Amino acid sequence: MKLFTYEHCPFCVRARMIFGLKNTPFELAIIMEGDVETPTRMVGRKVVPILQKEDGSFMPESMDIVHYVDSLKAPQVADQPVDSAIEAWCKSASGVVFKLAVPRFTEGEFAELATQPARQAFRQREEKAFGDLSALLAETPALIRDVEQKLAELETLLPADKTVSTTDFILFPILRSLTIVKGLHYGPRVNEYLHRVAAAAQIDLLTAQAR
Ligand SMILES: N[C@@H](CCC(=O)N[C@@H](CS)C(=O)NCC(=O)O)C(=O)O
């Protein structure tokens, strides 16, 4: 199987997680930002992640990919309902998380941004969604205060049970995005969670390029 992704993309992290967790071999492919033609030929629109199955057919939608790959080999990892408190936390925190992460993503070292036109296309896409990215960067101190408050709330919500489950496909990619932000204080439980799930799912954190 071949998984088409962007390295920075949290939805792609979801899809990569299931391969790592199940130790299922796959080929990781990168689509360049700005490449409309490749994904459109595969699934009719510009989107990642896209899974190419063994039979050559293409599947978009991160959670569909997770459930499909999960179904190929026991034991199931993503067969329980999503924890509603953590899901609510993700909804309330993702605004501030991506206000911090997105301007840094546009300047990051990611394979999909390896050419100048690709980086330019990405910047334009994100400016459409987030407005002036330099202005967002200038808001960093206030955004860090807000996100650290959310992280403190999350400290009390993480379950004692450390088995990876469906909820982690929602939560982990958001936290992994946040690791591109320098100088954030994580509580001990969130810190343990980040490193444990990253190791289990074989996903890199972005700490090395945090800024
Ligand atoms: N519902 C989709 C959302 C995927 C998504 O929004 N991916 C972003 C990348 S982070 C994307 O492809 N955006 C369109 C683009 O590249 O122009 C999923 O869960 O897979």
Side-chain angles (χ1 to χ4, degrees), residues 152-164:
E153 282 171 29
L154 182 60
E155 218 32 43
T156 65
L157 296 178
L158 288 176
D161 182 353
K162 294 188 175 170
T163 315
V164 174

Side-chain angles (χ1 to χ4, degrees), residues 44-55:
R45 64 187 195 277
K46 179 178 184 292
V47 76
V48 285
I50 298 170
L51 177 69
Q52 185 171 26
K53 298 183 189 175
E54 293 291 3
D55 67 4

Side-chain angles (χ1 to χ4, degrees), residues 6 8-11 14 33 46-49 61-63 125:
Y6 301 147
H8 75 274
C9 162
F11 299 101
R14 284 184 181 168
E33 277 281 357
K46 179 178 184 292
V47 76
V48 285
E61 285 303 321
S62 55
M63 287 312 290
R125 177 162 86 80

